[in-house]
Amino acid sequence: MVNKANSTLKSVLDVILHENPSTQDEIADKLGLSRRYVTKLLQPLVKRGVVRRAYILDLKKFDEFSEMFNEEKTSREHAGTYLIKEMLKNMAEHVCEQFDMSFESFEKYDKDMATKALEMDYVSNNMHEKVRSSVDTVISINPYSEFSKTMIFSEIAYDLERIADHTGHIANFVLNGCYEVDEEMVSILKSMFKTSRKMVKYSVKAFLNEELDLKDKVMDYEEKIHALQKKALNNMAILMAEDDIVDKDRSTYYLSLSRVVKAFERIGDISVEIVDASGEFYRNIPRTTTPERFRRISKD
């Protein structure tokens, strides 16, 4: 059982890892602790060089302390692997929140909410950079057998950043659109959102928790998302045939709407890529070099 002091120390180390504080006062303010208590917790780690001023974790030395923070681990993980997984977990939660807010802004046609969703993308980009730099650090101190696997962490962070970018098309539609979306179209897009959102959830869970059996669910949803995409595009074609798209604003509207449809489809494809990477990471199952969208075309 992790005691209270260790739990608090883990929170302190999370702040150091993710937020790059310059002083112990910053750490204390962030967690609502006294500076004296933060000093007490960090002092043994500072003396042993695990934490270096101002304030950086030495991942190699931290390895010996990592087990006390995760009683559920069934096998010893390199500290860098454990910490980067924590970073990816936080990034996935943030990107999913961004995804949710983007679609909610679409449903409510709320421009303020759409703006906030787009602002969240800056944090997503920053999180990707932190994972990438942490992977570089781990490789520099442990460059041997796990090199290729460690690099997959960077790929997953990049995939999450791509998902965040695609949610931006949804928020941008709200900011740039000027017409109400057809009710049937909204219903289809809502189904696409729910389906792709589940795909993100299950693919990330598969990678973080080694739950590779979730791939079957992801692939089932993959078929559904493409069926919904075809339905959405057919609906758009009918609306465009009935509409006067000579008007520039109207044609821009349909172009923006098609990007929303495409965003859900691409988020689904990226989720498949993440779950495929999970198989390679844990079971050494080689991934195909053919992108998912081209594999799908060949099947058709």
Side-chain angles (χ1 to χ4, degrees), residues 136-178:
D136 290 343
T137 300
V138 169
I139 289 173
S140 71
I141 63 178
N142 185 28
Y144 41 93
S145 61
E146 297 300 312
F147 175 83
S148 61
K149 287 190 175 183
T150 304
M151 289 297 294
I152 291 179
F153 288 124
S154 284
E155 293 180 34
I156 300 300
Y158 175 61
D159 286 338
L160 289 171
E161 184 189 30
R162 288 161 64 205
I163 289 172
D165 287 343
H166 285 297
T167 70
H169 292 304
I170 303 168
N172 275 320
F173 176 86
V174 177
L175 296 177
N176 301 327
C178 46

Side-chain angles (χ1 to χ4, degrees), residues 20-50:
N20 303 316
S22 300
T23 67
Q24 290 187 9
D25 286 327
E26 287 184 43
I27 300 170
D29 289 344
K30 179 70 178 177
L31 297 174
L33 303 172
S34 69
R35 184 184 183 281
R36 178 177 295 183
Y37 188 48
V38 171
T39 300
K40 178 181 177 181
L41 289 172
L42 286 179
Q43 193 172 36
L45 301 189
V46 172
K47 284 182 177 180
R48 298 185 66 169
V50 178

Side-chain angles (χ1 to χ4, degrees), residues 220-234:
D220 287 343
Y221 285 126
E222 192 252 354
E223 290 187 14
K224 182 177 179 180
I225 198 76
H226 293 297
L228 288 167
Q229 181 192 23
K230 290 179 181 179
K231 189 175 180 180
L233 293 176
N234 287 338

Side-chain angles (χ1 to χ4, degrees), residues 58-232:
D58 185 319
L59 295 179
K60 188 175 183 179
K61 291 183 179 180
F62 181 67
D63 189 30
E64 63 189 274
F65 293 92
S66 64
E67 284 188 335
M68 69 182 180
F69 300 134
N70 190 11
E71 73 247 52
E72 295 179 358
K73 284 194 295 183
T74 56
S75 62
R76 186 83 181 274
E77 288 184 290
H78 185 276
T81 297
Y82 169 63
L83 291 170
I84 294 171
K85 274 191 174 183
E86 286 290 297
M87 295 171 74
L88 285 173
K89 178 184 176 184
N90 292 337
M91 184 178 181
E93 289 172 354
H94 175 82
V95 169
C96 286
E97 184 181 346
Q98 182 180 339
F99 193 7
D100 293 343
M101 184 174 290
S102 295
F103 189 71
E104 188 176 352
S105 74
F106 175 86
E107 282 193 298
K108 297 179 178 179
Y109 211 75
D110 188 322
K111 293 192 174 185
D112 289 337
M113 189 177 290
T115 300
K116 289 179 182 178
L118 289 173
E119 288 172 351
M120 292 179 73
D121 198 43
Y122 292 105
V123 178
S124 299
N125 294 338
N126 189 42
M127 285 179 154
H128 170 230
E129 285 303 310
K130 285 187 175 181
V131 171
R132 187 186 59 77
S133 63
S134 295
V135 167
D136 290 343
T137 300
V138 169
I139 289 173
S140 71
I141 63 178
N142 185 28
Y144 41 93
S145 61
E146 297 300 312
F147 175 83
S148 61
K149 287 190 175 183
T150 304
M151 289 297 294
I152 291 179
F153 288 124
S154 284
E155 293 180 34
I156 300 300
Y158 175 61
D159 286 338
L160 289 171
E161 184 189 30
R162 288 161 64 205
I163 289 172
D165 287 343
H166 285 297
T167 70
H169 292 304
I170 303 168
N172 275 320
F173 176 86
V174 177
L175 296 177
N176 301 327
C178 46
Y179 297 94
E180 185 176 349
V181 180
D182 172 79
E183 186 176 336
E184 183 180 354
M185 190 67 173
V186 171
S187 177
I188 297 171
L189 292 176
K190 190 171 184 177
S191 294
M192 292 191 78
F193 164 71
K194 289 181 176 180
T195 302
S196 56
R197 180 67 169 77
K198 288 176 182 176
M199 292 179 75
V200 174
K201 174 185 174 182
Y202 289 129
S203 64
V204 170
K205 192 175 181 182
F207 183 79
L208 293 178
N209 301 333
E210 195 179 347
E211 296 185 38
L212 302 186
D213 56 323
L214 291 174
K215 180 173 182 177
D216 291 338
K217 282 189 175 182
V218 173
M219 299 311 295
D220 287 343
Y221 285 126
E222 192 252 354
E223 290 187 14
K224 182 177 179 180
I225 198 76
H226 293 297
L228 288 167
Q229 181 192 23
K230 290 179 181 179
K231 189 175 180 180

